[in-house]
């Protein structure tokens, strides 16, 4: 929370002061590279909390880059919708980690959806909102940001960074879902299985409703003046194209069954790079 508040929100407050500086161009490049780096390193990670933290870093790069293009209200809108589903995602991951006897390795998990179905539902819906599945919370802000990037007259590098990072978001999300939900039991599941945590489910239901409806609701509340976005059909559907491609790649990588440490050693050099 300190990362988001101290960094992004302070620059949103000061954006009228800063918006014509040359440093904003450098900030655009740096935050685009931050998005890409966080997405790539989340794909090689086996720690559940570290994957979610790196996806937060990727979304922060998205916010900072759209802020450095001069759209402070879009950055604030994405900050609010991202707060909804990412808080829900962290709560579900906390329930899963407590259930797994405080072990965070996703190679040890599996079959979580059989034992805590409601938490898994919250987990999957918040993950889909993170990916920008249409008409959830993350779709409104993320799609608007990417379409404003397409409308701007920036070069091809920024465009490729944005869309590659959007595909990578779908990549690590689908990988996380395959490792946690679809997978059979692995080593760690034997120890400490319990039922739903009903005390946490109360607040998770509220966050679930918010991550379903807060995108459309905030887009009615914040933008009293709608953005004119005029594009061809393929440019409008470009977000869905890269999401489907990234999801397919994540499914293929999850079918490779890199559970054991021995198989993990095969890609060790790539991982360290």
């Amino acid at each position: 929370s300190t990362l988001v508040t101290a960094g992004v929100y302070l620059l949103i407050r000061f954006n009228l002061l800063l918006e014509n500086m040359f440093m904003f161009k450098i900030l655009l490049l740096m935050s685009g590279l931050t998005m890409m780096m966080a997405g790539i390193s989340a794909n090689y990670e086996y720690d559940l909390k570290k994957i979610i933290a790196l996806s937060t870093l990727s979304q922060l790069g998205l916010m900072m880059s759209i802020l450095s293009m001069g759209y402070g209200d879009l950055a604030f809108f994405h900050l609010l919708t991202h707060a909804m589903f990412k808080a829900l995602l962290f709560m579900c991951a906390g329930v899963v980690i407590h259930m797994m006897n405080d072990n965070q390795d996703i190679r040890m998990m599996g079959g979580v959806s059989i034992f805590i179905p409601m938490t898994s539902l919250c987990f999957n819906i918040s993950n889909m909102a993170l990916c920008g599945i249409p008409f959830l919370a993350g779709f409104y802000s993320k799609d608007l940001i990417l379409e404003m990037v397409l409308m701007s007259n920036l070069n091809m590098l920024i465009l490729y960074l944005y869309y590659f990072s959007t595909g990578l978001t779908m990549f690590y999300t689908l990988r996380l879902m395959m490792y946690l939900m679809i997978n059979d039991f692995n080593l760690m599941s034997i120890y400490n299985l319990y039922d739903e945590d009903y005390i946490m489910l109360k607040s998770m239901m509220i966050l679930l409703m918010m991550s379903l409806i807060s995108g459309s609701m905030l887009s009615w509340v914040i933008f009293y003046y709608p953005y004119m976005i005029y594009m061809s059909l393929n440019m409008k559907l470009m977000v869905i194209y890269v999401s489907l491609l990234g999801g397919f790649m994540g499914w293929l990588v999850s079918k490779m069954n890199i559970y054991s440490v021995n198989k993990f050693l095969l890609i060790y050099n790539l991982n360290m790079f």
Side-chain angles (χ1 to χ4, degrees), residues 43-47 105 107 175 179 256-272:
N43 281 323
Y44 284 108
E45 203 55 61
Y46 284 107
D47 188 344
D105 200 340
R107 287 171 295 186
R175 172 176 174 263
Y179 269 92
M256 284 163 56
N257 293 337
I258 316 175
Y259 302 132
S260 63
V261 186
N262 309 327
K263 282 188 187 175
F264 175 64
L265 286 176
L266 296 174
I267 55 166
Y268 182 73
N269 292 324
L270 188 63
N271 188 3
M272 285 301 117

Side-chain angles (χ1 to χ4, degrees), residues 140-152:
Y140 288 95
S141 55
K142 200 169 187 175
D143 205 70
L144 196 56
I145 284 173
L146 286 162
E147 283 170 359
M148 291 315 282
V149 171
L150 275 178
M151 288 284 287
S152 67

